[in-house]
Amino acid sequence: MTENSSIAAEQPTILRVLARICSYAFHPLFIPTYIFLWLTVRFPFAFHDLSPFVLFTRKITVFWMTAFFPAFSVFLLSQLKFIDNIYLRTQRERIAPYIITMIFYWWMWYLSLHWPEQPEVLKFFYLGIGLSTVAGLIINNFFKISMHAMGVGGAVMCVILTSFYYQVYLGVDIALIIIIAGTTCTARLILNEHANKEIYSGLLVGIACQAIAYHFSM
């Protein structure tokens, strides 16, 4: 048993179960879908040029391009024995998934540039998550930065920047996403999947990439 697994075993079983559920529910691959769905609920006027059917297909497209295909690619890599398992617990195992996810994220950003009927905020959001995969791949050469922290960090900054963009008060939304981010990062620490440095750096990268994308997109 490794030191990390030994420490994790010291946590109450119910706490570890809840931490694992939280890790699955707020996996970084799901964040783009959550943000898209949140925008359709909070800013439906931004999608008024889309028919209900087209909007539905856009939701499916976001999920398939940013969650399903990257996840399926990781599954194939594990089946082909290029990586040990789907949990990506080592830096070496994360290299190919980073590159694959980067391709899909950049493709979504490219599509957003050619879908003018979608909210402008999606342009900076997709650019931001694309930048975060690049930063994550580079930092992965030095230590195992937390993908979960990058994901929720980017989500927090996206909600804040969306509030600025539309000039509306989103206090409840911001508070909720901060709570989700804190809970997710705490869950990763409870499971001993990451050290503090890996969590904090992930948050900073996710936040910074969204800020940079917003600056150059708006």
Side-chain angles (χ1 to χ4, degrees):
M1 180 179 291
T2 64
E3 181 181 355
N4 279 354
S5 60
S6 176
I7 295 174
E10 295 175 2
Q11 303 292 339
T13 301
I14 184 63
L15 198 58
R16 287 187 283 114
V17 170
L18 291 175
R20 196 161 297 282
I21 292 174
C22 181
S23 294
Y24 289 143
F26 298 104
H27 191 281
L29 292 182
F30 295 147
I31 298 299
T33 301
Y34 291 156
I35 290 295
F36 189 91
L37 294 177
W38 171 73
L39 286 171
T40 63
V41 172
R42 293 298 267 128
F43 305 97
F45 61 85
F47 298 87
H48 66 85
D49 288 333
L50 297 177
S51 67
F53 176 75
V54 173
L55 180 58
F56 174 75
T57 60
R58 291 289 170 84
K59 294 175 182 178
I60 299 299
T61 298
V62 171
F63 175 76
W64 277 70
M65 295 294 290
T66 63
F68 178 80
F69 283 127
F72 186 65
S73 298
V74 171
F75 173 74
L76 288 180
L77 288 173
S78 68
Q79 293 301 300
L80 294 172
K81 305 304 180 183
F82 287 110
I83 57 177
D84 294 334
N85 54 60
I86 63 173
Y87 298 107
L88 309 178
R89 291 196 168 96
T90 67
Q91 291 166 249
R92 180 186 62 81
E93 290 180 314
R94 293 176 170 227
I95 296 174
Y98 263 125
I99 296 173
I100 292 170
T101 304
M102 184 191 309
I103 293 171
F104 283 110
Y105 281 4
W106 283 110
W107 179 245
M108 283 305 300
W109 174 67
Y110 175 80
L111 291 178
S112 72
L113 298 178
H114 295 81
W115 285 342
E117 70 277 11
Q118 285 193 166
E120 287 291 317
V121 295
L122 284 174
K123 295 180 182 179
F124 83 75
F125 174 67
Y126 290 139
L127 177 58
I129 60 176
L131 291 174
S132 68
T133 56
V134 175
L137 179 61
I138 294 173
I139 297 173
N140 186 65
N141 290 297
F142 305 97
F143 60 88
K144 192 181 72 171
I145 186 171
S146 172
M147 294 177 176
H148 280 77
M150 281 196 293
V152 293
V156 168
M157 196 58 177
C158 176
V159 173
I160 293 173
L161 293 174
T162 300
S163 176
F164 283 127
Y165 178 79
Y166 286 114
Q167 294 295 294
V168 295
Y169 175 72
L170 295 176
V172 174
D173 304 69
I174 293 172
L176 180 60
I177 192 61
I178 289 175
I179 291 172
I180 290 174
T183 302
T184 302
C185 291
T186 301
R188 304 307 288 165
L189 291 173
I190 289 173
L191 296 172
N192 282 284
E193 295 288 350
H194 290 284
N196 288 340
K197 178 182 73 172
E198 298 164 349
I199 293 291
Y200 295 142
S201 59
L203 284 171
L204 288 175
V205 167
I207 290 170
C209 287
Q210 287 296 319
I212 293 170
Y214 182 85
H215 175 74
F216 286 104
S217 298
M218 295 295 110

